[in-house]
Amino acid sequence: MAILSALATEVFIPVAAVIGIAFAVVQWVIVSRVKLSPAAASAGGGKNGYGDYLIEEEEGLNDHNVVVKCAEIQKAISEGATSFLFTEYQYVGIFMSIFAVVIFLFLGSVEGFSTKSQPCTYSKDKYCKPALFTALFSTVSFLLGAITSLVSGFLGMKIATYANARTTLEARKGVGKAFITAFRSGAVMGFLLASSGLLVLYITINVFKLYYGDDWEGLFESITGYGLGGSSMALFGRVGGGIYTKAADVGADLVGKVERNIPEDDPRNPAVIADNVGDNVGDIAGMGSDLFGSYAESSCAALVVASISSFGIDHDFTGMCYPLLVSSVGIIVCLITTLFATDFFEVKAVKEIEPALKKQLIISTALMTVGIAVISWLALPAKFTIYNFGTQKDVSNWGLFFCVAIGLWAGLIIGFVTEYYTSNAYSPVQDVADSCRTGAATNVIFGLALGYKSVIIPIFAIAVSIYVSFSIAAMYGIAVAALGMLSTIATGLAIDAYGPISDNAGGIAEMAGMSHRIRERTDALDAAGNTTAAIGKGFAIGSAALVSLALFGAFVSRAGVTVVDVLSPKVFIGLIVGAMLPYWFSAMTMKSVGSAALKMVEEVRRQFNTIPGLMEGTAKPDYATCVKISTDASIKEMIPPGALVMLTPLIVGTLFGVETLSGVLAGALVSGVQIAISASNTGGAWDNAKKYIEAGASEHARTLGPKGSDCHKAAVIGDTIGDPLKDTSGPSLNILIKLMAVESLVFAPFFATQGGILFKYL
């Protein structure tokens, strides 16, 4: 028996989640102390720098207009983001209702909608609850997952748009103050998301248990809907938000920087508000839903496998909740880690920003390793068995500790490799910047090569963690390795959300006409944020690979496939088609960004040509039209890629059966991971090569020219090509591989009994 009692487990999980939510609220209250009204902004004294004099006072520029302007811009960005998300959610809401009905009908039809108890799938001697009720509960958990995902994305966006102007105003007091404001706001999102995801899942399990009683097999099978809901919303958030943000960004860059030679985020550029709105809906709301989806799915995959292992058979509640306990410890660990950045150490200079963010990753990983060891010792019996494709495998509690820890450290390795390839402090990006001397073509060649090369080490890291964790604890090992990678999700998200907030802060500083010294500070925050965002994407892709493999294992077990034979034609056609899907999906998303950007470029050009006094700064551009173009394009364009991902498993499973579907899943996983890593890193490297030339911080960078030189223009072209790669196609691919796997798992009972129509009748 485990040391931790069932009662202690039932108390610890919700308490950890509530502490996380409370911590998020406290951080939010601290951020809200920065006032956006002129009178309050200059008054005040005491600790935390409210009495620090501002730079403007040295330069005699301390006018109230700056604060008023910041507040106006913040309001415009916030309204744009809110109206976009509401429009998106209306469409997504329709999809949700239709898909909920599909789940119910497909799963209900497994036993012909009968309400009689059925023999269990795994232990045939026992009777389980009827399939009809499992269909109903799966539908409910799907809706719960979807709503939690939408709410967490929306709240993240609200917090980011609330904090962006406050970061700008704090930058007048010093880079440390601005850093802490942006980081605290990121932490609000990280902790809200991690805690609410855990709490809703935990409550759902306990409510469903009232009906299922001792039938844990059916209980945890119906819980898989939660992961499906979370991920399907993430797909639309990522694709829709990604198309929105990049259409605006590419449009603003091509006309503003390349044709008109005006700086980034110049208020004369009509697409500038849409660009800043895009940072929030794509990077914050999309990223939030994406990581929430990974988190929900890895928990579901682990729970499904555990329910048919000794934990489920012996009704060991504490052992069963091991995945949730790991996440609970993660919240507490991240809370301590966050204090290191906000309270224990102060960032005083620009060069301390990036190390401070990297320390967050290292501290959280180190503390979490200890946390996992403790919880594995307390919550698990010394010996237990894990279901392994029809047999039970003996595992010890230390074995599981190694599985979680290897996932955790593999995540850190992937993060740092990503950073090496995308940060302009290291040679890969500097080589890309250097290649701009001979024009845009060489820049593109070097950038693509960098992206392909950056795949090598992450893939080895993923391969090693898969081999070790599978050898120790079969598919359950892979599921908890994925959970290990995501266990420090609160810190990861805080670092991630910090990037777009600083990016927006820089934009607001430029639009409000603040002094160049402030712009330099916000640029430094943004450059660090860019690198950490790349690290976050690395984590998201690495965890997606492990999660989708774990889901694949659960699907294969549930569908009763004992072996997936690559030599069988049924499986091989699936493999080759599955490997093609990420390309088809990327083609759709890239083309969507291209066509939306085309409309945007035309509109921006039209305004520059027809509005008199716009270039001189005497007339205001029409921001609203550009926001509308981005909104309409992204809503229209997110439907085909979304449909491709959602319909593929249904069509393949129904027409060709589970063997071909397992081939499709394996193929999509194998090719999707490679494209996702290379696309994200290529885009990130081009972006930072451009920033490297702009900042001119080293001797080498200064030889490449100031802004506006030929070198710089070549770098801007590379950056523009990289935008849809790193912010639309790359990040959406990890949702593609997870979502197809979790959907197959949810529909597995239907595919196993009714699937493969074509092969039955051919």
Side-chain angles (χ1 to χ4, degrees):
M1 270 308 288
I3 301 170
L4 202 65
S5 68
L7 180 67
T9 308
E10 282 177 41
V11 173
F12 178 62
I13 297 174
V15 165
V18 170
I19 290 175
I21 293 170
F23 184 70
V25 173
V26 170
Q27 297 297 328
W28 184 76
V29 169
I30 297 175
V31 172
S32 67
R33 284 196 198 146
V34 181
K35 291 292 177 266
L36 273 182
S37 55
S42 50
K47 191 179 174 291
N48 274 355
Y50 298 114
D52 297 7
Y53 64 96
L54 311 175
I55 303 185
E56 267 86 347
E57 288 170 2
E58 306 162 31
E59 298 174 359
L61 285 172
N62 188 16
D63 56 357
H64 288 339
N65 303 355
V66 169
V67 184
V68 174
K69 254 186 167 166
C70 281
E72 274 174 18
I73 298 162
Q74 186 248 346
K75 187 161 173 264
I77 294 173
S78 183
E79 282 170 0
T82 309
S83 80
F84 168 72
L85 287 180
F86 273 127
T87 317
E88 181 183 69
Y89 292 170
Q90 282 166 4
Y91 285 87
V92 167
I94 299 168
F95 158 79
M96 243 164 66
S97 341
I98 296 171
F99 206 73
V101 174
V102 171
I103 293 177
F104 181 71
L105 293 178
F106 270 55
L107 292 181
S109 68
V110 172
E111 304 288 348
F113 297 99
S114 87
T115 49
K116 290 198 217 39
S117 291
Q118 304 293 339
C120 296
T121 317
Y122 298 99
S123 8
K124 295 286 185 212
D125 49 337
K126 286 191 196 144
Y127 272 83
C128 283
K129 299 285 189 223
L132 185 67
F133 286 98
T134 300
L136 181 67
F137 282 111
S138 293
T139 311
V140 172
S141 62
F142 165 75
L143 292 172
L144 279 172
I147 293 162
T148 312
S149 181
L150 291 184
V151 170
S152 42
F154 184 75
L155 287 176
M157 183 281 302
K158 271 299 196 208
I159 290 148
T161 51
Y162 181 82
N164 51 18
R166 288 171 166 80
T167 305
T168 312
L169 292 176
E170 286 290 274
R172 301 184 304 172
K173 299 173 186 170
V175 76
K177 300 280 178 287
F179 169 77
I180 285 191
T181 305
F183 187 77
R184 279 190 200 280
S185 324
V188 177
M189 177 185 176
F191 282 93
L192 266 184
L193 195 132
S195 310
S196 56
L198 176 66
L199 195 60
V200 175
L201 181 59
Y202 180 73
I203 292 170
T204 312
I205 290 173
N206 278 311
V207 171
F208 284 13
K209 223 164 89 179
L210 298 176
Y211 166 76
Y212 278 103
D214 280 351
D215 173 18
W216 284 18
E217 194 182 290
L219 165 65
F220 290 103
E221 191 173 296
S222 61
I223 291 285
T224 51
Y226 185 72
L228 176 63
S231 241
S232 49
M233 295 307 106
L235 176 74
F236 291 109
R238 257 300 193 204
V239 176
I243 293 169
Y244 184 107
T245 169
K246 289 306 124 182
D249 198 355
V250 172
D253 281 1
L254 284 180
V255 184
K257 283 195 218 165
V258 179
E259 291 177 13
R260 294 278 168 169
N261 262 339
I262 55 175
E264 189 162 359
D265 295 319
D266 190 296
R268 293 171 292 178
N269 193 332
V272 70
I273 293 282
D275 186 7
N276 280 300
V277 169
D279 289 338
N280 292 300
V281 296
D283 293 348
I284 300 255
M287 186 70 186
S289 299
D290 179 3
L291 280 173
F292 166 76
S294 281
Y295 166 75
E297 287 161 337
S298 54
S299 305
C300 293
L303 290 168
V304 167
V305 181
S307 69
I308 50 179
S309 305
S310 64
F311 298 140
I313 297 163
D314 306 340
H315 293 83
D316 170 6
F317 187 71
T318 307
M320 195 66 222
C321 285
Y322 180 69
L324 302 181
L325 288 167
V326 169
S327 306
S328 312
V329 173
I331 291 173
I332 308 293
V333 163
C334 290
L335 195 152
I336 299 165
T337 312
T338 305
L339 296 176
F340 275 96
T342 54
D343 298 272
F344 300 158
F345 298 112
E346 208 177 330
V347 172
K348 294 206 173 59
V350 167
K351 61 175 187 293
E352 293 173 13
I353 301 172
E354 215 167 291
L357 291 168
K358 281 200 277 194
K359 271 188 204 134
Q360 285 288 300
L361 287 174
I362 296 168
I363 293 169
S364 61
T365 305
L367 290 177
M368 192 62 205
T369 310
V370 179
I372 299 166
V374 172
I375 202 74
S376 304
W377 175 59
L378 291 176
L380 296 171
K383 286 270 182 287
F384 46 91
T385 64
I386 294 290
Y387 182 84
N388 178 23
F389 300 123
T391 58
Q392 294 282 352
K393 182 181 172 94
D394 290 317
V395 186
S396 70
N397 52 8
W398 289 112
L400 273 197
F401 158 70
F402 280 120
C403 292
V404 184
I406 197 163
L408 180 67
W409 285 92
L412 190 68
I413 291 169
I414 293 173
F416 279 130
V417 170
T418 310
E419 190 225 5
Y420 172 72
Y421 280 106
T422 55
S423 162
N424 52 26
Y426 304 104
S427 60
V429 170
Q430 292 172 7
D431 290 346
V432 172
D434 194 62
S435 70
C436 293
R437 289 174 197 275
T438 45
T442 40
N443 179 24
V444 170
I445 294 168
F446 270 73
L448 287 172
L450 175 143
Y452 298 148
K453 196 174 163 191
S454 69
V455 177
I456 303 168
I457 301 175
I459 292 295
F460 277 124
I462 293 172
V464 169
S465 40
I466 288 172
Y467 185 78
V468 174
S469 47
F470 189 88
S471 310
I472 296 173
M475 276 299 170
Y476 187 72
I478 294 174
V480 291
L483 257 180
M485 209 178 266
L486 291 164
S487 58
T488 51
I489 185 174
T491 296
L493 264 173
I495 293 173
D496 243 352
Y498 156 88
I501 292 171
S502 323
D503 193 354
N504 262 211
I508 292 173
E510 181 79 48
M511 284 187 266
M514 291 184 159
S515 72
H516 70 97
R517 291 174 60 180
I518 293 189
R519 184 68 222 222
E520 278 168 16
R521 290 175 173 186
T522 54
D523 273 353
L525 291 173
D526 182 21
N530 245 356
T531 307
T532 53
I535 294 178
K537 285 180 186 132
F539 261 95
I541 295 165
S543 61
L546 290 176
V547 168
S548 91
L549 186 61
L551 290 164
F552 176 68
F555 159 71
V556 171
S557 307
R558 182 63 190 84
V561 178
T562 43
V563 65
V564 179
D565 179 10
V566 186
L567 294 175
S568 118
K570 281 185 190 177
V571 176
F572 194 80
I573 55 168
L575 261 180
I576 203 159
V577 171
M580 174 274 295
L581 288 174
Y583 289 92
W584 189 0
F585 180 81
S586 300
M588 284 175 158
T589 49
M590 301 273 290
K591 195 150 181 277
S592 303
V593 172
S595 54
L598 204 64
K599 294 193 189 94
M600 187 67 79
V601 168
E602 282 166 5
E603 172 60 24
V604 176
R605 276 184 190 150
R606 183 192 70 75
Q607 292 197 25
F608 273 125
N609 294 333
T610 57
I611 299 178
L614 182 56
M615 272 306 282
E616 295 69 41
T618 50
K620 277 189 92 167
D622 172 11
Y623 296 131
T625 311
C626 289
V627 171
K628 188 172 178 345
I629 288 178
S630 255
T631 304
D632 295 349
S634 55
I635 297 291
K636 190 172 114 253
E637 302 278 2
M638 74 179 183
I639 296 168
L644 173 72
V645 179
M646 299 301 291
L647 295 176
T648 302
L650 286 179
I651 293 169
V652 174
T654 311
L655 296 182
F656 300 96
V658 285
E659 289 180 337
T660 309
L661 180 55
S662 46
V664 169
L665 295 179
L669 165 64
V670 168
S671 91
V673 173
Q674 331 284 339
I675 307 178
I677 297 177
S678 66
S680 295
N681 291 351
T682 294
W686 276 328
D687 190 356
N688 276 338
K690 176 203 69 176
K691 286 203 165 67
Y692 176 73
I693 296 175
E694 285 176 354
S698 70
E699 196 51 50
H700 174 237
R702 284 192 284 278
T703 61
L704 297 173
K707 283 188 184 181
S709 68
D710 284 347
C711 257
H712 179 244
K713 281 190 173 167
V716 170
I717 291 173
D719 175 34
T720 313
I721 300 171
D723 273 338
L725 285 174
K726 78 172 193 302
D727 288 325
T728 313
S729 299
S732 314
L733 278 173
N734 55 44
I735 304 181
L736 168 128
I737 56 180
K738 294 181 309 201
L739 186 52
M740 285 179 28
V742 73
E743 193 183 331
S744 307
L745 172 60
V746 170
F747 287 103
F750 173 79
F751 296 151
T753 52
Q754 261 87 347
I757 298 170
L758 283 184
F759 290 138
K760 277 182 190 162
Y761 301 114
L762 282 179

